[in-house]
Amino acid sequence: MNTKDVNATDNDTTKPNIAFIGLGNMGAPMAENLLKAGYPLSVYDLSAEATERLQQAGASVADSPKDAARHAQVVISMLPAGKHVHSVYLGEGGSDGLLAELAKGTLVIDSSTIAAADARTVAEAASKLGIDFLDAPVSGGTGGAIAGTLTFIVGGEDTAFAKAEPILAVMGKNIFHAGEHGAGQVAKICNNMLLGILMAGTAEAINLGVKNGLDPKVLSDIMLQSSGRNWTLEVYNPYPQVMENVPSSNGYQGGFMSKLMQKDLNLAMQTAEDTQVETPMGAKATELYEAHAIDNGDKDFSSIMARHDSSVLT
C-alpha cells in the first residue's frame, strides 16, 4: 500500500487531479463537464471509443483503474453494478483492488447505483486505509449528465462531503447529503421505486381511458389538474405524441432504459428484504418491469405503456 499522504503532493494546484473510471452514457458527459471546468483528468474504461472521446476533450487515458488513479487526489467512478464496484475497489481477493493503491486522504466518490450493503462494505475498507469514501448515486438521466444538472444523493462523512461538494457542483445542480455511508443508495432506490410505481400506474390509467374512448392528451390534461397529478404526467408522459421531446414520442429511444429501472427496482426489493420492510406496490412494479424488460430492456422505461397497447412500439 502507498502510505504517502495525498495532501503532500508536489503539484499543489487549485484543482485536484481526478481519476474517472467508467465512461458510459452517464460517466462520459460527467467527465467532460469536469474537463470544461478545468480539472486535470485521467480516465479509464473498457471501451476504446469512450476513452478516445475523452482524450479528444483533453483527458489523459489510462490502461487500468490503478493507472488512472496513480496521481489522483480524487477518484470518481460510474459503474454498472455492485460487482463491478467491488472488483475495482476491493479486487478479487478483497484486498488487492484500487483502494490498496490509493494514498491516505484520497477522496473516492462512487456514483454507481448499487446496493447500500455493497457501498458500506467498500466504505468500511476505505476507512481502514484512511481513504474518504462517498456513495453518490445520481438522478437526472443522460440529459442531466450532459447539461451538468444532475441530482447527487450522497452518503458518507460530513468532512468528505464538504470536500466533494465543489466537484459535484460542476456536474450537478442539486446536491443532497442523505446521511451516513449507504444513505445515498437507499435514498436513490426509494426514489426510483416510487418512480417505477408512478410510471406503471400512469400508463395503466391512460390505457383505461383510451380503451374507453378518451383522447390520451385530454385525459392527461385532466389528471394534471386533478388529484392524480404526478411527475410522469408533468414531464414524461408515457403515451406517444401527447408530449414533445420525451422518449414516448421518439419510439421510446433515449432516456432511462427499462433494464436499468428493473435493476433499481430489484435493488429496492433486496434492501426491503434485508431490512424486513413490506413493499407490495414496489414488488408489483418490479414484477411488471422484469417481464417488460425481457423484450424491451433497451427502450425507455416509459415503454411499459406497451404492456397495455403493443401498437405504441410500432
Side-chain angles (χ1 to χ4, degrees):
M1 173 188 170
N2 185 357
T3 58
K4 178 187 70 175
D5 191 320
V6 74
N7 296 313
T9 177
D10 294 331
N11 298 318
D12 186 20
T13 58
T14 302
K15 290 184 169 64
N17 292 323
I18 297 177
F20 204 109
I21 302 167
L23 303 172
N25 292 335
M26 297 292 291
M30 290 166 66
E32 286 175 335
N33 283 330
L34 290 170
L35 285 170
K36 291 174 184 176
Y39 284 92
L41 202 67
S42 179
V43 300
Y44 172 76
D45 193 274
L46 291 173
S47 167
E49 182 180 351
T51 55
E52 182 179 351
R53 166 181 169 180
L54 267 295
Q55 188 174 42
Q56 291 177 353
S60 62
V61 175
D63 294 328
S64 69
K66 290 179 181 179
D67 183 38
R70 197 172 306 280
H71 302 293
Q73 289 86 49
V74 179
V75 176
I76 302 174
S77 51
M78 176 61 88
L79 300 167
K83 64 181 181 181
H84 304 103
V85 174
H86 190 284
S87 177
V88 166
Y89 287 109
L90 302 181
E92 297 304 320
S95 60
D96 58 347
L98 180 57
L99 291 181
E101 302 297 321
L102 297 179
K104 182 179 179 181
T106 300
L107 174 63
V108 175
I109 304 169
D110 179 48
S111 287
S112 317
T113 298
I114 61 176
D118 289 335
R120 294 183 184 116
T121 296
V122 179
E124 182 179 357
S127 180
K128 290 177 180 178
L129 297 172
I131 294 166
D132 293 320
F133 180 86
L134 296 172
D135 52 286
V138 302
S139 179
T142 54
I146 294 168
T149 58
L150 291 169
T151 293
F152 283 89
I153 311 164
V154 186
E157 300 293 336
D158 291 343
T159 52
F161 177 76
K163 287 166 61 177
E165 198 167 9
I167 298 170
L168 298 180
V170 172
M171 302 177 286
K173 183 178 180 181
N174 302 299
I175 304 166
F176 295 99
H177 189 193
E180 298 177 351
H181 294 124
Q185 300 296 346
V186 173
K188 168 69 184 289
I189 62 172
C190 287
N191 177 78
N192 278 21
M193 182 182 75
L194 179 58
L195 178 58
I197 292 168
L198 286 173
M199 183 58 79
T202 298
E204 193 170 293
I206 293 175
N207 176 68
L208 178 62
V210 169
K211 293 297 173 60
N212 282 275
L214 296 182
D215 181 283
K217 186 176 188 317
V218 172
L219 175 59
S220 295
D221 289 343
I222 291 169
M223 292 191 291
L224 268 173
Q225 301 304 320
S226 304
S227 54
R229 181 174 185 167
N230 66 71
W231 181 88
T232 62
L233 284 170
E234 289 186 67
V235 301
Y236 217 88
N237 197 291
Y239 202 91
Q241 309 312 319
V242 169
M243 186 176 288
E244 295 181 355
N245 301 318
V246 294
S248 61
S249 295
N250 186 37
Y252 296 101
Q253 300 302 310
F256 185 56
M257 290 186 289
S258 293
K259 63 185 179 184
L260 297 180
M261 174 55 79
Q262 177 195 0
K263 170 201 162 188
D264 288 359
L265 286 167
N266 279 319
L267 286 174
M269 293 305 98
Q270 177 185 334
T271 302
E273 181 178 352
D274 291 345
T275 52
Q276 299 183 335
V277 175
E278 188 178 3
T279 54
M281 295 183 73
K284 186 61 179 179
T286 304
E287 176 189 327
L288 294 174
Y289 272 99
E290 283 183 340
H292 179 66
I294 292 172
D295 295 319
N296 302 286
D298 290 335
K299 294 187 181 298
D300 181 73
F301 80 109
S302 61
S303 65
I304 194 74
M305 189 76 232
R307 178 174 175 269
H308 307 286
D309 183 356
S310 60
S311 69
V312 299
L313 296 177
T314 60

